[in-house]
């Protein structure tokens, strides 16, 4: 084949609207040797993303390292690290870029080997769609199952199954059908909303960028056609506002802005918002950007907000819609993917990073692991490398968060080893325990008073309320003093002056007395909700 | 008029940036911009003493622009660092100084004095020794001297195969080495900026940009770039098939060798004796975009250092070259 003469597909030729294309991030995953590198190499090559000098290098490399004799080995376009070359496998996740007239694509090229599943999971966390590659003769592997469980945990909802190496089975419809049925069965209870199966031959390019004549029985789109037209976007604007604060912007004493990326919903000038965990409610005064103020901004934008009132807000806090605000919690149940050799066990502590906040988390009792064959959770004493499981985490302080299902960015976290600072796990919040009450005094009161703490909400008196109570009590009391003194002494003058002096002194005494009682939790109980 | 300049000219008439006009759906450039600003803020918030590695090229220009956006209305809370090999194009240095002054930013220029005294130069010492001493080692010196614990740079994943696997937050050991095994997974948008004493982090906010994205963004945002990117008649000599510009009298000419004036421009900028020009007539950003779309050569081809072997870039990275 003369590589230089290959004409480009017409789809790639038109440079219209370069600045206005949509973006699709998809993860490509498959077991080793099922042909993933070849398939991606094809997509890049056919979309003219491969330059002449890289092609020259490819021709030379194909002779030296290739497994294809004299033909081009497209997978060599991709493998980067020297170690990978030697072992002939893709180790790390790699990012590839190509674009067509309609779309810009970011391909997250995930390694197939089990020991590198962490890279696959990382890539899947940011993917709009997953391309799962299965060689038709080999069929589904244990690694395919693992990949599907992880894709499901991370909420990837669109899956394309490319059944590869169709040339090896004489383009057989039945062989394709068998893989498709097995795959649909496996994926059935994993919550995908859309599964598309496409027969391909990556090496020869059949059904990759255009429909193949070898597959007349197949009526669907080619792989690229599908990738160009699928609409994985969610109804982002209906989601509640979330903006984790990254940075407090204070160029001068008159300006105090809060910078962050809007991860969910949208924000408008004048809109009431809540800043958590403190819970202060205020309104949006301005939405500031370098290019001028905005009237509103939606998820995916980086902005700087100012508020109409001074509220307690700092890095790590979350600016949220007042309705449907995130939870503030000290304990969660989470699904995690474990990435380190040393397993996760009860009693260990890790740094917990969610959005822009970090806390210390302790692993509580109640670990379980997902069985790959049944896809059910079974009780476990530890969660090992590349396993998916559930655990309960308790934090050293209250953290603002969501359930992953509701808001991805504020419901996902990583665990960091407190000594090596390695990232050891990624996780999704599944259940949130209600916040425990903890008045300042309760911390050093004996534990038994904490028996009902779990359900207690914190009710404390404000200073204003104590003072108004003091005045109203004094007014009533002093009227009484006036009447009593008058009845006994018969002197309005004496009764008046006694009552007046008393008003002043006793207001202060009452106020002090109230405040002291406000600190004592003894004898307080909250009515059942 | 061809399709690209049509798109671009139409765009030129837009008074506002896309996304500011409320109706427009965000384009891929808006996504990339928001993502990069998020990364920049995370990097600065999670480090004690961050620095912006400013190499004066187009990627650095885009990065600087994004850094200004990230902290607006405040000034960027980090200085610029330029590692000067003393062999940069003169126009680069002039542009660097003018830009820092215009924006009122602190600029630190570091030169490896020790290397200068040893007489290391790109021609006599060879490109790889020169790059190692005047760039890689010099960068380490500068980071150590100022105790920078986070360095933001404009590298992109599409530049070279080994960079395709680079993290956004890339951990470097106390001696600045890059260990592929210690690189951390980066799920979602959560970056782990923790480091042990002595370790540092290189941060690449432009990881997901391509060369074309960079030019489209420069066009959209009207970002100033060094004039060397635009075609002009320049004195060049041909060396090993590369067009080398004679930027000053230090470039030794073989007997009988005479600089010829050709219409050329540069796709990347570095040390002038090591940077090949391409023949081009592209004098505007729109024409460069057109040329990039049609190009059949990757931008790194002009760089002499990449041709030392298939894995040379990766080796350099392990040694601490950016
Ligand atoms: N017959 C046939 N072989 C293929 C096809 N696609 C890939 N291969 C071969 O399968 C082997 C593994 O491919 P590669 O892309 O390296 O697999 P990866 O490990 O999944 O990235 C190589 O020898 C390829 O040439 C195909 O469509 N048909």
């Amino acid at each position: 084949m003369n590589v230089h003469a290959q004409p480009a597909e017409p789809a790639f030729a038109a440079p219209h609207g370069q600045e206005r294309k949509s973006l699709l991030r998809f993860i490509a995953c498959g077991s080793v040797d099922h042909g993933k590198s070849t398939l991606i190499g094809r997509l890049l090559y056919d979309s003219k993303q491969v330059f002449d000098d890289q092609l020259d290098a490819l021709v030379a490399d194909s002779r030296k390292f290739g497994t294809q004799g004299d033909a081009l080995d497209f997978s060599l376009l991709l493998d980067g690290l020297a170690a990978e070359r030697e072992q002939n496998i893709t180790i790390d996740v790699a990012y590839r870029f190509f674009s067509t007239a309609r779309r810009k694509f970011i391909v997250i090229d995930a390694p197939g080997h089990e020991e590198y599943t962490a890279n696959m999971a990382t890539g899947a966390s940011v993917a709009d769609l997953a391309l799962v590659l299965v060689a038709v003769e080999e069929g589904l592997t244990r690694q395919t199952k693992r990949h599907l469980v992880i894709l499901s945990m991370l909420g990837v909802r669109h899956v394309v199954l490319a059944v590869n190496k169709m040339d090896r089975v004489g383009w057989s419809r039945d062989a394709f059908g068998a893989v498709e049925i097995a795959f649909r069965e496996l994926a059935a209870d994993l919550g995908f909303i859309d599964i598309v199966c496409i027969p391909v031959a990556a090496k020869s390019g059949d059904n990759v960028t255009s429909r193949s004549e070898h597959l007349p029985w197949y009526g669907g789109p080619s792989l690229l056609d599908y990738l160009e037209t699928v609409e994985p976007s969610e109804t982002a604007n209906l989601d509640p506002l979330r903006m984790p604060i990254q940075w407090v912007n204070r160029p001068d004493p008159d300006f105090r802005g809060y910078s962050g990326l809007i991860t969910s919903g949208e924000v408008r000038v004048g809109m009431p918002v809540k800043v958590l965990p403190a819970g202060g409610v205020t309104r949006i005064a301005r939405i500031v950007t370098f290019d001028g103020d905005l009237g509103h901004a939606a998820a995916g934008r980086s902005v700087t907000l100012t508020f109409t009132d001074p509220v307690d807000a700092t890095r790590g806090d979350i600016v949220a819609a007042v309705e449907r605000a995130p939870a503030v919690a000290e304990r969660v149940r989470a699904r995690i993917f474990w990435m380190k050799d040393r397993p996760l066990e009860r009693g260990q502590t890790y740094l917990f990073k969610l959005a822009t906040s970090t806390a210390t988390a302790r692993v509580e009792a109640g670990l379980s692991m997902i069985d790959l064959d049944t896809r059910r959770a079974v009780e476990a004493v530890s969660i090992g490398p590349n396993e998916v499981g559930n655990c309960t985490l308790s934090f050293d302080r209250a953290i603002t968060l969501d359930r992953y299902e509701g808001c991805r960015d504020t419901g996902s976290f990583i665990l960091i080893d407190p000594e090596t600072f390695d990232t050891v796990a990624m996780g999704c919040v599944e259940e949130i325990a209600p916040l425990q009450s903890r008045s300042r005094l309760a911390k050093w009161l004996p534990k038994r008073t904490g028996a009902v703490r779990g359900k207690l909400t914190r009710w404390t008196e404000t200073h204003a309320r104590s003072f108004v109570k003091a005045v109203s009590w004094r007014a009533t009391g002093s009227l009484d003093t006036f009447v009593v003194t008058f009845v006994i002494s018969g002197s309005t003058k004496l009764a008046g002056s006694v009552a007046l002096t008393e008003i002043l002194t006793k207001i202060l005494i009452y106020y002090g007395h109230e405040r002291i009682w406000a600190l004592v939790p003894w004898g307080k109980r909250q009515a059942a909700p | 008029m061809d399709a690209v300049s049509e798109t671009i000219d139409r765009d030129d008439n837009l008074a506002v940036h896309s996304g500011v006009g409320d109706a427009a759906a965000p384009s891929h450039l808006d996504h990339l911009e928001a993502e990069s600003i998020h990364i920049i803020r995370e990097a600065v918030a999670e480090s004690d003493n961050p620095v912006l590695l400013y190499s004066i090229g187009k990627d650095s220009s885009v990065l600087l622009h994004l850094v200004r956006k990230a902290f607006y209305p405040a000034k960027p809370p980090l200085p610029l660092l330029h590692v000067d090999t003393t062999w940069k194009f003169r126009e680069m240095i002039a542009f660097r100084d003018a830009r820092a002054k215009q924006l009122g930013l602190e600029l630190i220029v570091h030169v490896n004095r020790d290397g200068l005294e040893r007489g290391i130069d790109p021609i006599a010492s060879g490109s790889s020794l020169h790059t190692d001493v005047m760039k890689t080692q010099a960068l380490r010196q500068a980071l150590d001297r100022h105790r920078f614990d986070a360095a933001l740079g404009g590298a992109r994943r599409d530049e070279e195969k080994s960079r395709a696997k680079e993290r956004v937050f890339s951990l470097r050991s106390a001696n600045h080495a890059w260990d592929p095994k210690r690189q951390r997974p980066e799920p979602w948008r959560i970056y782990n900026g923790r480091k042990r004493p002595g370790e540092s982090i290189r941060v690449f906010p432009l990881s997901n940009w391509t060369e074309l994205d960079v030019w489209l963004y420069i066009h959209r945002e009207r970002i100033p770039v060094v004039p060397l990117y635009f075609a002009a008649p320049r004195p060049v000599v041909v060396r090993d098939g590369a067009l080398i510009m004679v930027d000053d009298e230090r470039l030794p000419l073989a007997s009988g060798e005479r600089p010829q004036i050709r219409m050329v421009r540069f796709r990347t900028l570095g040390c002038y004796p090591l940077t090949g020009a391409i023949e081009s007539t592209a004098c505007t950003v729109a024409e460069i975009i057109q040329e990039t779309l049609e190009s059949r050569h990757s931008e790194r081809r002009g760089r002499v250092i990449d041709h030392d072997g298939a894995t040379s870039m990766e080796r350099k990275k392990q040694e601490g070259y950016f």
Side-chain angles (χ1 to χ4, degrees):
Chain A
M1 178 172 53
N2 179 347
V3 293
H4 296 266
Q6 170 108 354
E9 295 293 323
F12 297 113
H16 278 288
Q18 288 293 335
E19 298 189 19
R20 292 242 129 261
K21 285 180 188 174
S22 63
L23 180 68
L24 184 82
R25 266 179 232 241
F26 69 92
I27 177 160
C29 42
S31 306
V32 185
D33 274 350
H34 283 217
K36 179 173 56 67
S37 305
T38 309
L39 182 68
I40 298 172
R42 260 283 159 200
L43 285 170
L44 299 189
Y45 176 71
D46 286 351
S47 64
K48 284 216 291 187
Q49 300 299 310
V50 181
F51 296 110
D52 278 351
D53 50 338
Q54 290 171 330
L55 265 185
D56 293 343
L58 174 63
V59 172
D61 283 358
S62 290
R63 284 196 202 109
K64 201 157 133 203
F65 303 102
T67 52
Q68 300 303 307
D70 263 350
L72 280 185
D73 186 346
F74 288 101
S75 65
L76 291 177
L77 280 173
L78 308 185
D79 293 342
L81 301 184
E84 296 171 25
R85 276 237 169 129
E86 280 149 28
Q87 297 168 35
N88 252 312
I89 47 163
T90 314
I91 292 180
D92 207 338
V93 70
Y95 298 80
R96 323 282 176 198
F97 306 86
F98 71 98
S99 53
T100 67
R102 283 188 251 181
R103 261 203 177 139
K104 168 174 168 139
F105 295 92
I106 298 181
V107 189
I108 303 152
D109 184 2
H113 273 247
E114 180 184 330
E115 57 266 46
Y116 303 113
T117 313
N119 305 103
M120 177 269 163
T122 302
S125 70
V126 295
D128 304 312
L129 172 148
L131 167 64
V132 178
L133 199 80
V134 171
V136 63
E137 287 176 311
E138 282 85 352
L140 308 181
T141 63
R142 193 171 165 76
Q143 194 58 357
T144 316
K145 290 179 191 172
R146 192 187 302 273
H147 285 161
L148 283 184
V149 166
I150 291 167
L151 292 172
S152 162
M153 155 183 169
L154 296 174
V156 177
R157 293 286 169 258
H158 298 260
V159 176
V160 192
L161 170 72
V163 180
N164 190 30
K165 308 196 187 181
M166 286 299 294
D167 55 308
R168 296 265 275 268
V169 293
W171 313 98
S172 154
R173 181 178 198 164
D174 290 345
F176 168 74
V179 176
E180 169 165 16
I181 287 168
F183 186 83
R184 287 193 186 274
E185 204 173 18
L186 186 65
D189 50 357
L190 291 177
F192 302 118
I193 56 173
D194 181 21
I195 298 173
V196 171
C197 303
I198 303 177
V200 300
K203 206 161 114 182
S204 50
D206 285 85
N207 241 2
V208 175
T209 54
S210 58
R211 292 277 300 276
S212 157
E213 73 236 27
H214 290 124
L215 299 155
W217 46 265
Y218 170 74
S222 71
L223 178 61
L224 185 67
D225 277 343
Y226 179 73
L227 294 174
E228 274 194 307
T229 50
V230 61
E231 278 308 334
S233 59
E234 286 134 43
T235 50
N237 290 352
L238 301 176
D239 294 337
L241 168 70
R242 300 287 185 264
M243 192 198 84
I245 297 174
Q246 291 188 275
W247 181 260
V248 181
N249 194 323
R250 296 206 67 188
D252 56 67
D254 298 333
F255 186 93
R256 181 183 270 272
Y258 300 92
S259 305
L261 176 79
I262 303 168
T263 58
S264 157
E266 58 173 8
V267 64
R268 288 180 181 277
V269 171
M271 171 178 160
V273 292
K274 204 173 193 175
V275 184
L276 296 147
V281 173
T282 180
R283 281 176 190 279
I284 300 295
R286 293 172 60 196
I287 304 170
V288 180
T289 78
F290 183 87
D291 304 300
D293 279 17
L294 304 177
H296 89 273
R301 271 202 89 116
S302 285
V303 293
T304 296
L305 304 176
T306 69
F307 302 135
T308 54
D309 313 281
V311 290
D312 187 3
T314 180
R315 173 171 164 86
D317 290 359
I318 295 178
V319 182
V322 175
E323 314 260 297
R324 296 202 282 156
V328 177
E330 287 175 343
R331 178 197 284 262
V332 296
R333 183 93 183 138
R335 175 153 292 191
I336 62 154
F337 173 71
W338 192 253
M339 308 193 279
K340 276 286 140 140
D341 291 342
R342 200 181 129 211
L344 174 85
E345 277 162 15
R346 178 183 167 180
Q348 290 165 339
T349 55
Y350 295 96
L351 295 172
F352 171 95
K353 187 170 185 200
L354 178 139
T356 56
S357 66
T358 308
T360 300
R362 209 181 113 86
V363 183
E364 302 291 341
L367 293 181
S368 63
M369 223 169 75
I370 308 296
D371 180 304
L372 285 184
D373 290 314
T374 63
R375 278 150 275 129
R376 305 249 176 284
V378 290
E379 234 177 89
V381 287
S382 66
I383 301 175
N386 301 314
E387 301 288 357
V388 175
N390 289 326
C391 68
T392 300
L393 299 172
S394 62
F395 312 124
D396 61 334
R397 61 189 181 83
I399 297 283
T400 312
L401 38 73
D402 283 292
R403 292 178 59 230
Y404 185 70
E405 243 180 42
C407 283
R408 268 195 188 202
D409 282 88
T410 43
S412 51
F413 61 87
I414 57 173
L415 295 180
I416 300 170
D417 185 302
E419 277 155 35
T420 61
F421 294 140
D422 285 338
T423 302
V424 293
M426 50 195 280
C428 305
V429 176
E430 292 209 318
E431 290 165 52
I432 302 166
L435 185 64
Q436 303 186 343
S437 139
R438 205 182 274 185
S439 78
R440 256 162 274 160
L441 215 68
K443 265 189 186 158
W444 47 266
L445 280 180
K447 264 276 184 255
R448 64 192 158 79
T449 56
V452 287
R453 272 197 335 205
K455 291 199 188 71
L456 269 187
T457 322
R458 228 169 101 188
W459 293 111
T460 53
E461 301 251 315
T462 64
H463 288 258
R465 183 180 158 91
S466 297
F467 191 76
V468 170
K469 274 167 85 179
V471 173
S472 80
W473 169 242
R474 232 28 275 150
T476 326
S478 298
L479 188 66
D480 178 65
T481 309
F482 178 84
V483 171
V484 171
T485 318
F486 179 70
V487 167
I488 292 170
S489 70
S491 158
T492 39
K493 202 179 156 200
L494 181 64
S497 51
V498 170
L500 268 178
T501 351
E502 194 202 44
I503 286 182
L504 289 175
T505 53
K506 289 202 176 158
I507 282 183
L508 295 175
I509 292 169
Y510 182 96
Y511 170 77
H513 185 253
E514 268 291 299
R515 291 318 303 171
I516 290 163
W517 270 104
L519 289 178
V520 181
W522 173 82
K524 272 199 209 172
R525 191 189 318 161
Q526 199 205 352
Chain B
M1 190 192 292
D2 58 73
V4 176
S5 22
E6 226 169 63
T7 322
I8 284 155
D9 289 343
R10 204 175 49 237
D11 236 69
D12 269 338
N13 297 330
L14 291 178
V16 290
H17 295 285
S18 60
V20 177
D22 283 356
S27 70
H28 82 274
L29 289 180
D30 297 321
H31 280 288
L32 291 172
E33 176 187 89
E35 178 181 88
S36 299
I37 290 176
H38 175 255
I39 294 165
I40 290 165
R41 288 172 177 163
E42 283 304 287
V44 173
E46 294 235 320
S47 59
D48 298 325
N49 193 15
V51 66
L52 178 64
L53 295 180
Y54 181 68
S55 70
I56 322 174
K58 61 183 189 304
D59 302 317
S60 284
S61 296
V62 166
L63 184 58
L64 175 59
H65 187 72
L66 291 164
V67 167
R68 291 173 65 211
K69 283 197 171 195
F71 299 104
Y72 177 87
K75 260 192 200 167
L78 70 173
L80 312 188
L81 169 65
H82 178 230
V83 174
D84 193 349
T85 60
T86 71
W87 287 88
K88 300 294 172 189
F89 290 91
R90 284 173 300 164
E91 275 185 87
M92 291 173 72
I93 302 302
F95 181 88
R96 173 195 76 189
D97 295 341
R99 203 69 187 125
K101 194 165 161 219
Q102 179 194 10
L103 300 177
L105 298 174
E106 185 193 344
L107 170 71
I108 300 168
V109 176
H110 180 82
V111 176
N112 184 351
R113 294 283 155 209
D114 180 51
L116 269 195
E117 271 158 34
R118 280 163 58 198
I120 304 288
D121 83 56
I123 302 148
S125 321
S127 72
S128 79
L129 181 64
H130 175 255
T131 304
D132 178 50
V133 174
M134 298 308 288
K135 210 165 159 175
T136 310
Q137 290 183 26
L139 175 61
R140 287 190 217 159
Q141 284 173 351
L143 296 178
D144 289 344
R145 173 169 314 164
H146 299 274
R147 296 180 183 280
F148 291 123
D149 64 342
L152 285 71
R156 309 187 317 268
R157 284 173 176 153
D158 83 324
E159 278 176 68
E160 203 266 347
K161 274 198 265 180
S162 83
R163 285 214 169 136
K165 304 192 176 191
E166 183 60 280
R167 297 292 189 274
V168 174
F169 275 47
S170 177
L171 184 69
R172 303 300 163 103
S173 68
N175 56 8
H176 301 280
W178 176 79
D179 176 358
K181 292 199 186 67
R182 282 204 59 210
Q183 300 308 311
R184 299 157 174 173
E186 294 178 330
W188 298 289
R189 294 175 180 131
I190 313 177
Y191 301 103
N192 176 357
R194 300 264 166 168
K195 52 209 164 286
R196 293 183 289 191
E199 290 178 342
S200 62
I201 304 245
R202 305 279 168 92
V203 182
F204 305 108
L206 302 184
S207 286
N208 285 331
W209 295 58
T210 61
E211 185 188 12
L212 180 61
D213 296 330
V214 165
W215 280 116
L216 289 169
Y217 191 70
I218 286 171
H219 181 263
R220 187 179 94 171
E221 304 281 315
R222 295 173 173 72
I223 300 170
V225 291
V226 183
L228 291 162
Y229 284 112
F230 303 107
R234 297 189 169 96
V236 294
V237 291
V238 184
R239 298 264 168 97
D240 299 332
L243 295 172
I244 303 296
M245 180 169 155
V246 185
D247 196 46
D248 58 33
E249 68 298 332
R250 288 180 295 173
L251 191 77
L253 299 177
S255 65
E257 192 179 37
R258 270 245 213 94
Q260 6 169 335
I261 302 295
R262 291 222 209 155
M263 191 72 175
V264 296
R265 67 179 196 88
F266 295 86
R267 279 180 82 180
T268 59
L269 295 178
C271 297
Y272 82 81
L274 300 178
T275 310
I278 54 167
E279 291 198 87
S280 165
T281 54
C283 297
T284 64
V285 176
E287 284 163 1
I288 289 175
I289 291 170
Q290 178 74 47
E291 213 178 77
T292 307
L293 280 171
E294 288 166 358
S295 169
R296 299 296 301 151
H297 292 288
S298 69
E299 63 184 312
R300 288 206 153 256
R301 187 170 130 118
R303 291 212 179 160
V304 178
I305 56 165
D306 286 356
H307 294 297
D308 300 354
T311 54
S312 69
M313 180 64 113
E314 187 184 335
R315 219 175 40 236
K316 290 201 172 68
K317 202 159 75 173
Q318 292 187 1
E319 288 157 6
Y321 173 79
F322 208 120

